[in-house]
Amino acid sequence: MKTIPGPEAFKATLRNKARKFADREDARFQDGFIFPQIDPGFSISKSQSVFTIGSCFARNVEEVLLAQGITVPTAHFTAPNDEAPGRPNRVLNQYNPGTMLQCVQAATQPVDTRALYAKGDEAVDCLLATGSRPVARARAMERRQQIVDLYKSGLDQSEVVVVTLGLVEAWYDLKDGIYLNEAPPPPLINADPDRFEFRQLDVPTSQALIFEMTERLLEGGRRKIVMTVSPVPLQVTFAGGDALMRNNYSKSVLRIVAEMATQTFADVDYFPSYEIIVTAGLRSFGADNVHVRPQVVERVVNHMVSLYVKG
C-alpha cells in the first residue's frame, strides 16, 4: 500500500499538472487518444540491444525498434510458416506470466523435454505459440534448443528488456509441473483427466511469477526493463462467463502487478500502451475487435520510442 502524509499529498497534487483526467481540450488528448504524462526512469541508446518477451504485442514493438536502427535479437528468429503461420517469429509469443518466467529460466538450463505431447508419429509443443500444429519430435527439440540459445545469447547482449504482459488464463501440467502456453489437445485431456488443470491466476500468483522473472532479468544490475500490458484481448476464455469480463480481469491483474513491480524495482518502468489504446475504444481495433490496427500500434510504440530512445 502506498501512503503519503496528508500535507504532502495536497502539495504533491497541486504540483502535478496531470492530476485531472484529460478532457478534449487537454494537450494529452490527441485524435481520440489520451497520451498520459510519462517521466521515463532511464533512456535507451540506439547503440544498445533490446530484448522482447511476451505476447504478440511484443512483435509490434520489435518492428518499430528495428526501424529506429536498434538491435532486437528476437526480431530475427524465424520458424517455417507451416509450423506457426503469421510472422516468422510468431512462435516466440508467450501469453501468461508462468511461461514467460519459464523462458527466462530455460536460458540457463538444458533444453526442456516436458509439455511435448505425442500426436501420432509427431509431437505438439504446448510451450510455444504454434496453434497446436505438430512437428517431428526431433524438429520440436531442435526448435526448443534454438529458442533457448536465442534467450541466452540475446539476454547476454541486451541492456534493455521490453516485457509485454498478455493474460492470466493458463493451463498447467500437474504431472510435469509446468505452465503451458497453449491449451493441451482435448484428446489428451480426456485420456488423462487428472493431469491437466486450468488456472485463472490471481494477483499474488501473478506477482510471484512476474517478480521472479524480473529479479532474474535484473540480476547483476546491467539491465533495465520497460513493462507494459498488451492491449490485445484474450480471444477465448476458459474461466466461464463472458470473454469481455474475463479479459478485463486479466488486464486488471497484470496492470496491478506491473505497478507493484515499478514500486519495488528501481530499474523497472511501466509504459501505458494498454491505457492509450483503449481510450479510443473499438476504433483502435480491426474488424475482429481483437487485433490492434497497425497504424495505431505504430503510433503508440513510436510514442514510447520517442520517450525512451536518445541519440
Side-chain angles (χ1 to χ4, degrees):
M1 179 173 65
K2 182 178 183 179
T3 62
I4 305 172
E8 178 55 32
F10 266 95
K11 291 178 182 177
T13 298
L14 292 174
R15 293 193 298 266
N16 179 13
K17 295 181 179 180
R19 65 184 180 272
K20 294 183 179 180
F21 198 90
D23 60 23
R24 300 195 178 195
E25 302 302 318
D26 195 296
R28 292 170 290 164
F29 180 78
Q30 301 174 28
D31 301 326
F33 298 89
I34 297 176
F35 289 82
Q37 178 180 298
I38 302 168
D39 299 310
F42 54 87
S43 63
I44 302 172
S45 167
K46 288 190 175 182
S47 63
Q48 291 180 314
S49 174
V50 178
F51 196 87
T52 61
I53 300 174
S55 65
C56 53
F57 196 68
R59 313 284 79 87
N60 301 128
V61 173
E62 291 167 351
E63 291 180 341
V64 179
L65 292 174
L66 284 175
Q68 292 286 330
I70 295 171
T71 300
V72 187
T74 48
H76 305 292
F77 186 86
T78 61
N81 192 65
D82 61 345
E83 292 183 8
R87 298 174 187 269
N89 64 345
R90 173 188 181 273
V91 72
L92 298 178
N93 291 355
Q94 294 293 327
Y95 302 111
N96 68 76
T99 60
M100 291 184 192
L101 168 60
Q102 288 166 185
C103 284
V104 175
Q105 292 172 325
T108 59
Q109 300 171 352
V111 63
D112 207 327
T113 60
R114 296 174 297 170
L116 199 59
Y117 306 116
K119 186 176 183 180
D121 295 332
E122 297 182 306
V124 173
D125 191 340
C126 285
L127 295 187
L128 303 179
T130 67
S132 297
R133 290 171 176 82
V135 295
R137 186 177 178 86
R139 168 55 185 157
M141 293 301 296
E142 176 189 49
R143 189 172 58 192
R144 284 191 175 186
Q145 185 66 65
Q146 291 171 345
I147 293 173
V148 167
D149 293 343
L150 169 67
Y151 267 75
K152 179 173 175 50
S153 62
L155 287 172
D156 282 348
Q157 75 179 83
S158 297
E159 297 91 345
V160 178
V161 181
V162 177
V163 177
T164 66
L165 304 171
L167 48 85
V168 298
E169 295 201 5
W171 283 85
Y172 192 81
D173 184 328
L174 293 162
K175 178 181 177 181
D176 282 351
I178 194 169
Y179 281 97
L180 306 181
N181 196 43
E182 296 186 336
L188 189 60
I189 297 175
N190 295 331
D192 196 351
D194 295 327
R195 179 169 184 175
F196 301 99
E197 69 179 16
F198 167 77
R199 295 181 176 181
Q200 184 183 43
L201 307 182
D202 55 14
V203 170
T205 307
S206 298
Q207 179 189 358
L209 295 167
I210 292 170
F211 273 34
E212 182 178 347
M213 176 183 67
T214 300
E215 289 166 354
R216 286 173 176 266
L217 292 173
L218 296 178
E219 192 173 17
R222 55 178 295 263
R223 295 192 195 96
K224 310 288 187 183
I225 296 175
V226 179
M227 194 172 288
T228 189
V229 174
S230 170
V232 179
L234 60 81
Q235 298 184 48
V236 176
T237 182
F238 287 94
D242 195 286
L244 173 65
M245 292 183 288
R246 299 286 71 78
N247 177 67
N248 282 346
Y249 175 83
S250 275
K251 303 304 182 184
S252 298
V253 168
L254 294 173
R255 180 63 185 91
I256 289 169
V257 176
E259 185 74 13
M260 295 167 73
T262 64
Q263 295 176 6
T264 303
F265 303 99
D267 291 328
V268 176
D269 267 16
Y270 177 76
F271 178 76
S273 58
Y274 175 76
E275 288 88 334
I276 296 170
I277 288 173
V278 299
T279 58
L282 291 178
R283 65 185 289 254
S284 292
F285 297 86
D288 61 1
N289 287 343
V290 171
H291 293 93
V292 183
R293 291 191 294 124
Q295 56 267 46
V296 173
V297 172
E298 184 177 6
R299 180 169 185 179
V300 172
V301 180
N302 270 320
H303 180 61
M304 181 183 78
V305 170
S306 71
L307 292 168
Y308 279 92
V309 177
K310 308 297 180 184

